[in-house]
Amino acid sequence: MSYAITPPTVPSLPIIGSDQRFPVRRIFCIGRNYAEHAREMGAVVDRDTPLFFCKPADAVVTDGADVPYPQATGDLHHEVEMVVALGGGGRDIPLSQAASLVWGYGVGLDLTRRDLQAVAKVKSHPWDVAKAFDHSAPVSALRPAGAVTLTDDTAISLTVNGQPRQQGRLGDMVHGVAEVIAILSTLFELKAGDLIFTGTPAGVAALQRGDSFHAELAGVATLDGRVA
């Protein structure tokens, strides 16, 4: 097959302990999946109607690359999140089968142009310009699921310039990983290569040019980077 233009490069993530890479198809995100974060944003968790949004696959920043400070904002915020990588998919996936589709785990930042999000909320507009911009999804290398043991007490954290910003535990999530996958599959056909950002604990705040960050999903993955 020939193309009218050169096909874009497939975004991908490194894999811990392997020379292979994980190709990224789509990025799904769930909002308000930690009650304390919802409260700090002036929102209420609606367990029966989870809030989902998407980022483009090429929003990933990886391999230690700097994160360019985005255009059109003066209020860039960090949101540290566990990232789930799928090795399979489907529609209307039963909750009992959802966890078996997880290929691996990592940690990432859901970067947000908070000022643009605030305007969108007031006007009841979509969040795309606040969430789905270039370089808005820094993600660590992935650790295969077979090498990962997660519990309710598994910690997720973020420091900026060495100072603690966010700290949480996976047991604080409103919807667990299997629930998120099962619910998403009623809205989209999930496929291998999809990433799911699973929500952020409280403590979101602004990032400035020159800031360095360290995100960690304890015992699983770390992400270090800098805002350029």
Short mmCIF file of all heavy atoms in Angstrom, two decimals, residues 60-105:
data_model
loop_
_atom_site.label_atom_id
_atom_site.label_comp_id
_atom_site.label_asym_id
_atom_site.label_seq_id
_atom_site.Cartn_x
_atom_site.Cartn_y
_atom_site.Cartn_z
N VAL A 60 2.10 11.29 24.35
CA VAL A 60 3.03 10.68 25.31
C VAL A 60 4.40 11.34 25.22
O VAL A 60 4.87 11.72 24.15
CB VAL A 60 3.17 9.15 25.10
CG1 VAL A 60 1.87 8.44 25.41
CG2 VAL A 60 3.67 8.82 23.71
N VAL A 61 5.01 11.50 26.38
CA VAL A 61 6.40 11.96 26.50
C VAL A 61 7.12 10.88 27.29
O VAL A 61 6.67 10.50 28.38
CB VAL A 61 6.49 13.30 27.25
CG1 VAL A 61 7.94 13.75 27.36
CG2 VAL A 61 5.65 14.36 26.57
N THR A 62 8.19 10.36 26.77
CA THR A 62 8.83 9.22 27.42
C THR A 62 10.34 9.24 27.17
O THR A 62 10.88 10.18 26.57
CB THR A 62 8.20 7.91 26.93
OG1 THR A 62 8.67 6.82 27.72
CG2 THR A 62 8.48 7.68 25.46
N ASP A 63 11.02 8.24 27.69
CA ASP A 63 12.46 8.10 27.53
C ASP A 63 13.24 9.29 28.07
O ASP A 63 14.30 9.65 27.56
CB ASP A 63 12.83 7.87 26.05
CG ASP A 63 12.24 6.58 25.50
OD1 ASP A 63 12.70 5.50 25.91
OD2 ASP A 63 11.29 6.65 24.71
N GLY A 64 12.70 9.92 29.13
CA GLY A 64 13.42 11.00 29.79
C GLY A 64 13.39 12.33 29.07
O GLY A 64 14.11 13.26 29.45
N ALA A 65 12.55 12.45 28.04
CA ALA A 65 12.49 13.71 27.28
C ALA A 65 11.89 14.82 28.14
O ALA A 65 11.05 14.58 29.01
CB ALA A 65 11.67 13.52 26.02
N ASP A 66 12.32 16.04 27.88
CA ASP A 66 11.72 17.20 28.55
C ASP A 66 10.27 17.37 28.11
O ASP A 66 9.89 16.98 27.01
CB ASP A 66 12.49 18.48 28.20
CG ASP A 66 13.83 18.57 28.91
OD1 ASP A 66 14.06 17.80 29.86
OD2 ASP A 66 14.64 19.43 28.50
N VAL A 67 9.49 17.98 28.99
CA VAL A 67 8.10 18.32 28.68
C VAL A 67 8.05 19.80 28.32
O VAL A 67 8.28 20.65 29.19
CB VAL A 67 7.18 18.04 29.88
CG1 VAL A 67 5.75 18.46 29.57
CG2 VAL A 67 7.24 16.57 30.28
N PRO A 68 7.77 20.15 27.08
CA PRO A 68 7.67 21.57 26.73
C PRO A 68 6.49 22.21 27.45
O PRO A 68 5.40 21.64 27.50
CB PRO A 68 7.45 21.55 25.21
CG PRO A 68 7.83 20.18 24.77
CD PRO A 68 7.54 19.27 25.91
N TYR A 69 6.72 23.41 28.00
CA TYR A 69 5.60 24.14 28.60
C TYR A 69 4.62 24.49 27.48
O TYR A 69 5.01 25.08 26.47
CB TYR A 69 6.07 25.40 29.31
CG TYR A 69 5.04 25.98 30.24
CD1 TYR A 69 5.06 25.65 31.59
CD2 TYR A 69 4.05 26.83 29.78
CE1 TYR A 69 4.11 26.16 32.47
CE2 TYR A 69 3.09 27.35 30.63
CZ TYR A 69 3.12 27.01 31.98
OH TYR A 69 2.17 27.51 32.84
N PRO A 70 3.34 24.12 27.62
CA PRO A 70 2.42 24.28 26.49
C PRO A 70 2.04 25.72 26.22
O PRO A 70 2.08 26.58 27.10
CB PRO A 70 1.19 23.47 26.94
CG PRO A 70 1.25 23.51 28.43
CD PRO A 70 2.70 23.49 28.78
N GLN A 71 1.63 25.95 25.00
CA GLN A 71 1.14 27.26 24.60
C GLN A 71 -0.26 27.49 25.15
O GLN A 71 -0.92 26.57 25.63
CB GLN A 71 1.12 27.34 23.07
CG GLN A 71 0.14 26.37 22.41
CD GLN A 71 0.42 26.17 20.94
OE1 GLN A 71 1.26 25.38 20.57
NE2 GLN A 71 -0.31 26.90 20.11
N ALA A 72 -0.70 28.72 25.13
CA ALA A 72 -2.08 29.12 25.42
C ALA A 72 -2.50 28.88 26.86
O ALA A 72 -3.69 28.74 27.15
CB ALA A 72 -3.06 28.41 24.48
N THR A 73 -1.53 28.82 27.79
CA THR A 73 -1.89 28.65 29.19
C THR A 73 -0.90 29.37 30.08
O THR A 73 0.27 29.53 29.73
CB THR A 73 -1.95 27.16 29.60
OG1 THR A 73 -2.44 27.05 30.94
CG2 THR A 73 -0.57 26.51 29.55
N GLY A 74 -1.38 29.77 31.24
CA GLY A 74 -0.50 30.30 32.28
C GLY A 74 -0.66 29.53 33.57
O GLY A 74 -0.22 29.97 34.63
N ASP A 75 -1.32 28.34 33.47
CA ASP A 75 -1.62 27.57 34.68
C ASP A 75 -1.61 26.08 34.35
O ASP A 75 -2.65 25.42 34.31
CB ASP A 75 -3.00 27.99 35.23
CG ASP A 75 -3.23 27.54 36.66
OD1 ASP A 75 -2.25 27.21 37.36
OD2 ASP A 75 -4.40 27.52 37.09
N LEU A 76 -0.41 25.55 34.15
CA LEU A 76 -0.22 24.12 33.84
C LEU A 76 -0.18 23.33 35.15
O LEU A 76 0.64 23.62 36.02
CB LEU A 76 1.08 23.93 33.07
CG LEU A 76 1.47 22.48 32.76
CD1 LEU A 76 0.50 21.86 31.76
CD2 LEU A 76 2.92 22.42 32.24
N HIS A 77 -1.04 22.34 35.29
CA HIS A 77 -1.10 21.54 36.51
C HIS A 77 -0.66 20.10 36.26
O HIS A 77 -0.88 19.53 35.19
CB HIS A 77 -2.54 21.53 37.06
CG HIS A 77 -2.85 22.71 37.91
ND1 HIS A 77 -3.72 22.66 38.97
CD2 HIS A 77 -2.40 23.99 37.85
CE1 HIS A 77 -3.81 23.86 39.54
NE2 HIS A 77 -3.02 24.68 38.87
N HIS A 78 -0.07 19.50 37.31
CA HIS A 78 0.29 18.08 37.32
C HIS A 78 -0.82 17.26 37.97
O HIS A 78 -1.49 17.71 38.90
CB HIS A 78 1.59 17.86 38.09
CG HIS A 78 1.57 18.35 39.50
ND1 HIS A 78 0.84 17.76 40.52
CD2 HIS A 78 2.20 19.42 40.08
CE1 HIS A 78 1.03 18.41 41.65
NE2 HIS A 78 1.84 19.43 41.41
N GLU A 79 -1.00 16.04 37.46
CA GLU A 79 -1.90 15.06 38.08
C GLU A 79 -1.23 13.70 37.93
O GLU A 79 -1.24 13.11 36.84
CB GLU A 79 -3.28 15.06 37.40
CG GLU A 79 -4.01 16.40 37.50
CD GLU A 79 -5.44 16.34 36.99
OE1 GLU A 79 -5.96 15.22 36.77
OE2 GLU A 79 -6.04 17.43 36.81
N VAL A 80 -0.64 13.17 39.00
CA VAL A 80 0.06 11.90 38.93
C VAL A 80 -0.96 10.76 38.92
O VAL A 80 -1.95 10.79 39.65
CB VAL A 80 1.06 11.75 40.09
CG1 VAL A 80 0.36 11.66 41.45
CG2 VAL A 80 1.97 10.54 39.86
N GLU A 81 -0.71 9.75 38.07
CA GLU A 81 -1.69 8.68 37.92
C GLU A 81 -1.00 7.34 37.61
O GLU A 81 0.01 7.31 36.92
CB GLU A 81 -2.68 9.00 36.79
CG GLU A 81 -3.28 10.39 36.90
CD GLU A 81 -4.59 10.56 36.15
OE1 GLU A 81 -5.14 9.55 35.65
OE2 GLU A 81 -5.06 11.71 36.08
N MET A 82 -1.60 6.25 38.10
CA MET A 82 -1.22 4.92 37.63
C MET A 82 -1.70 4.77 36.20
O MET A 82 -2.83 5.15 35.86
CB MET A 82 -1.83 3.83 38.50
CG MET A 82 -1.54 2.42 37.98
SD MET A 82 -2.08 1.11 39.11
CE MET A 82 -3.86 1.34 39.04
N VAL A 83 -0.86 4.21 35.35
CA VAL A 83 -1.20 3.99 33.95
C VAL A 83 -1.28 2.49 33.70
O VAL A 83 -0.36 1.74 34.05
CB VAL A 83 -0.16 4.63 33.01
CG1 VAL A 83 -0.50 4.35 31.54
CG2 VAL A 83 -0.08 6.14 33.26
N VAL A 84 -2.38 2.07 33.09
CA VAL A 84 -2.60 0.66 32.77
C VAL A 84 -2.50 0.49 31.26
O VAL A 84 -3.13 1.24 30.50
CB VAL A 84 -3.99 0.21 33.27
CG1 VAL A 84 -4.29 -1.21 32.81
CG2 VAL A 84 -4.07 0.31 34.78
N ALA A 85 -1.70 -0.48 30.82
CA ALA A 85 -1.54 -0.78 29.40
C ALA A 85 -2.27 -2.08 29.07
O ALA A 85 -2.07 -3.09 29.76
CB ALA A 85 -0.06 -0.89 29.04
N LEU A 86 -3.10 -2.06 28.04
CA LEU A 86 -3.89 -3.23 27.70
C LEU A 86 -3.21 -4.10 26.64
O LEU A 86 -2.68 -3.58 25.65
CB LEU A 86 -5.27 -2.81 27.19
CG LEU A 86 -6.17 -2.03 28.17
CD1 LEU A 86 -7.55 -1.83 27.55
CD2 LEU A 86 -6.28 -2.73 29.51
N GLY A 87 -3.29 -5.40 26.85
CA GLY A 87 -2.78 -6.36 25.87
C GLY A 87 -3.89 -7.03 25.09
O GLY A 87 -3.64 -7.87 24.22
N GLY A 88 -5.13 -6.68 25.41
CA GLY A 88 -6.30 -7.21 24.73
C GLY A 88 -7.45 -6.25 24.92
O GLY A 88 -7.30 -5.23 25.59
N GLY A 89 -8.59 -6.57 24.36
CA GLY A 89 -9.71 -5.64 24.47
C GLY A 89 -11.04 -6.30 24.19
O GLY A 89 -11.22 -7.49 24.41
N GLY A 90 -11.96 -5.47 23.70
CA GLY A 90 -13.29 -5.96 23.39
C GLY A 90 -14.35 -4.96 23.80
O GLY A 90 -14.05 -3.88 24.31
N ARG A 91 -15.60 -5.34 23.57
CA ARG A 91 -16.76 -4.54 23.98
C ARG A 91 -17.49 -5.26 25.10
O ARG A 91 -17.52 -6.48 25.16
CB ARG A 91 -17.73 -4.36 22.80
CG ARG A 91 -17.23 -3.54 21.64
CD ARG A 91 -18.39 -3.25 20.68
NE ARG A 91 -17.97 -2.48 19.52
CZ ARG A 91 -17.71 -3.00 18.33
NH1 ARG A 91 -17.81 -4.30 18.15
NH2 ARG A 91 -17.35 -2.22 17.32
N ASP A 92 -18.09 -4.48 26.00
CA ASP A 92 -18.93 -5.04 27.07
C ASP A 92 -18.20 -6.17 27.80
O ASP A 92 -18.72 -7.28 27.97
CB ASP A 92 -20.26 -5.54 26.50
CG ASP A 92 -21.06 -4.41 25.86
OD1 ASP A 92 -21.13 -3.32 26.46
OD2 ASP A 92 -21.60 -4.62 24.77
N ILE A 93 -16.99 -5.88 28.23
CA ILE A 93 -16.16 -6.87 28.89
C ILE A 93 -16.69 -7.14 30.30
O ILE A 93 -16.90 -6.20 31.08
CB ILE A 93 -14.70 -6.38 28.97
CG1 ILE A 93 -14.14 -6.18 27.55
CG2 ILE A 93 -13.82 -7.34 29.76
CD1 ILE A 93 -12.89 -5.34 27.49
N PRO A 94 -16.94 -8.40 30.66
CA PRO A 94 -17.39 -8.70 32.02
C PRO A 94 -16.34 -8.29 33.06
O PRO A 94 -15.13 -8.40 32.81
CB PRO A 94 -17.58 -10.22 32.01
CG PRO A 94 -17.70 -10.60 30.57
CD PRO A 94 -16.86 -9.61 29.82
N LEU A 95 -16.81 -7.82 34.19
CA LEU A 95 -15.89 -7.42 35.25
C LEU A 95 -14.93 -8.54 35.61
O LEU A 95 -13.74 -8.30 35.88
CB LEU A 95 -16.70 -6.98 36.48
CG LEU A 95 -15.91 -6.50 37.70
CD1 LEU A 95 -15.10 -5.26 37.36
CD2 LEU A 95 -16.86 -6.21 38.86
N SER A 96 -15.40 -9.77 35.60
CA SER A 96 -14.58 -10.92 35.99
C SER A 96 -13.43 -11.18 35.02
O SER A 96 -12.45 -11.84 35.37
CB SER A 96 -15.45 -12.18 36.09
OG SER A 96 -16.05 -12.47 34.83
N GLN A 97 -13.53 -10.65 33.79
CA GLN A 97 -12.49 -10.87 32.79
C GLN A 97 -11.60 -9.66 32.55
O GLN A 97 -10.58 -9.76 31.88
CB GLN A 97 -13.13 -11.29 31.46
CG GLN A 97 -13.92 -12.58 31.53
CD GLN A 97 -14.61 -12.90 30.22
OE1 GLN A 97 -14.25 -12.36 29.16
NE2 GLN A 97 -15.62 -13.76 30.26
N ALA A 98 -11.99 -8.52 33.10
CA ALA A 98 -11.32 -7.27 32.76
C ALA A 98 -9.84 -7.25 33.14
O ALA A 98 -8.99 -6.82 32.36
CB ALA A 98 -12.05 -6.10 33.41
N ALA A 99 -9.52 -7.72 34.34
CA ALA A 99 -8.13 -7.65 34.80
C ALA A 99 -7.19 -8.47 33.93
O ALA A 99 -6.00 -8.16 33.83
CB ALA A 99 -8.05 -8.11 36.25
N SER A 100 -7.71 -9.52 33.31
CA SER A 100 -6.85 -10.39 32.48
C SER A 100 -6.37 -9.70 31.21
O SER A 100 -5.45 -10.20 30.55
CB SER A 100 -7.61 -11.67 32.11
OG SER A 100 -8.69 -11.38 31.23
N LEU A 101 -6.96 -8.55 30.88
CA LEU A 101 -6.56 -7.82 29.68
C LEU A 101 -5.38 -6.89 29.92
O LEU A 101 -4.83 -6.33 28.97
CB LEU A 101 -7.74 -7.00 29.15
CG LEU A 101 -9.00 -7.79 28.78
CD1 LEU A 101 -10.10 -6.85 28.33
CD2 LEU A 101 -8.70 -8.81 27.69
N VAL A 102 -4.99 -6.71 31.18
CA VAL A 102 -3.89 -5.79 31.50
C VAL A 102 -2.57 -6.41 31.09
O VAL A 102 -2.21 -7.51 31.53
CB VAL A 102 -3.89 -5.45 32.99
CG1 VAL A 102 -2.69 -4.55 33.32
CG2 VAL A 102 -5.19 -4.76 33.40
N TRP A 103 -1.83 -5.68 30.26
CA TRP A 103 -0.50 -6.14 29.82
C TRP A 103 0.58 -5.66 30.79
O TRP A 103 1.56 -6.37 31.06
CB TRP A 103 -0.20 -5.61 28.42
CG TRP A 103 1.07 -6.18 27.86
CD1 TRP A 103 1.21 -7.29 27.09
CD2 TRP A 103 2.40 -5.68 28.08
NE1 TRP A 103 2.54 -7.52 26.81
CE2 TRP A 103 3.28 -6.54 27.42
CE3 TRP A 103 2.91 -4.59 28.78
CZ2 TRP A 103 4.66 -6.34 27.42
CZ3 TRP A 103 4.29 -4.39 28.79
CH2 TRP A 103 5.15 -5.25 28.11
N GLY A 104 0.43 -4.43 31.29
CA GLY A 104 1.47 -3.88 32.15
C GLY A 104 1.01 -2.62 32.85
O GLY A 104 -0.10 -2.12 32.62
N TYR A 105 1.89 -2.12 33.71
CA TYR A 105 1.58 -0.94 34.53
C TYR A 105 2.73 0.05 34.48
O TYR A 105 3.90 -0.32 34.34
CB TYR A 105 1.36 -1.34 35.99
CG TYR A 105 0.19 -2.25 36.23
CD1 TYR A 105 0.35 -3.64 36.22
CD2 TYR A 105 -1.08 -1.75 36.50
CE1 TYR A 105 -0.73 -4.49 36.45
CE2 TYR A 105 -2.16 -2.58 36.74
CZ TYR A 105 -1.98 -3.94 36.71
OH TYR A 105 -3.04 -4.78 36.94
#
